[in-house]
Amino acid sequence: MDEFFASGHAVDVVLAVVALEFLWLAFRHGRAVDAALMLLPAAFILLGLRAALTGAPWYWVAIPLTLAFPAHLADLVRRMRR
C-alpha cells in the first residue's frame, strides 16, 4: 500500500474518478464548461499532490497549486453571473 501512494497511483485513481464525474456532469446537464470549471481546481490540487508524493521538484508542486486559485475564481465568477 505504501508503494501505491508513493508512486502517485492513488492520485491517478482519484483523477480518473474526477474525469468520470466530468463526463457524467457534462452529459447530464449539457454544460461542459460549467463542469470543467467546477472540477478544474480539484484536478490542479490533485496534480500538485501527485507531484509531492512522487518527490518531484518544488515547482511541479507549486505550479498546479497556483493554477488552482484562478481556476477556482473563474468558477466563482461564472456561478455569480448566473
Side-chain angles (χ1 to χ4, degrees):
M1 195 59 133
D2 290 341
E3 180 61 30
F4 181 65
F5 282 92
S7 67
H9 292 311
V11 176
D12 294 340
V13 170
V14 177
L15 281 170
V17 170
V18 169
L20 290 173
E21 183 179 8
F22 166 76
L23 292 173
W24 183 73
L25 288 170
F27 287 116
R28 180 166 184 213
H29 299 290
R31 297 181 183 148
V33 174
D34 288 342
L37 282 176
M38 181 174 35
L39 297 174
L40 195 58
F44 279 136
I45 291 170
L46 287 168
L47 289 173
L49 173 63
R50 188 182 196 293
L53 287 174
T54 59
W58 67 268
Y59 48 86
W60 288 117
V61 177
I63 290 170
L65 292 180
T66 302
L67 291 174
F69 183 63
H72 177 62
L73 289 178
D75 179 39
L76 288 176
V77 167
R78 188 165 179 99
R79 288 175 189 242
M80 293 174 109
R81 288 189 180 164
R82 278 196 276 155

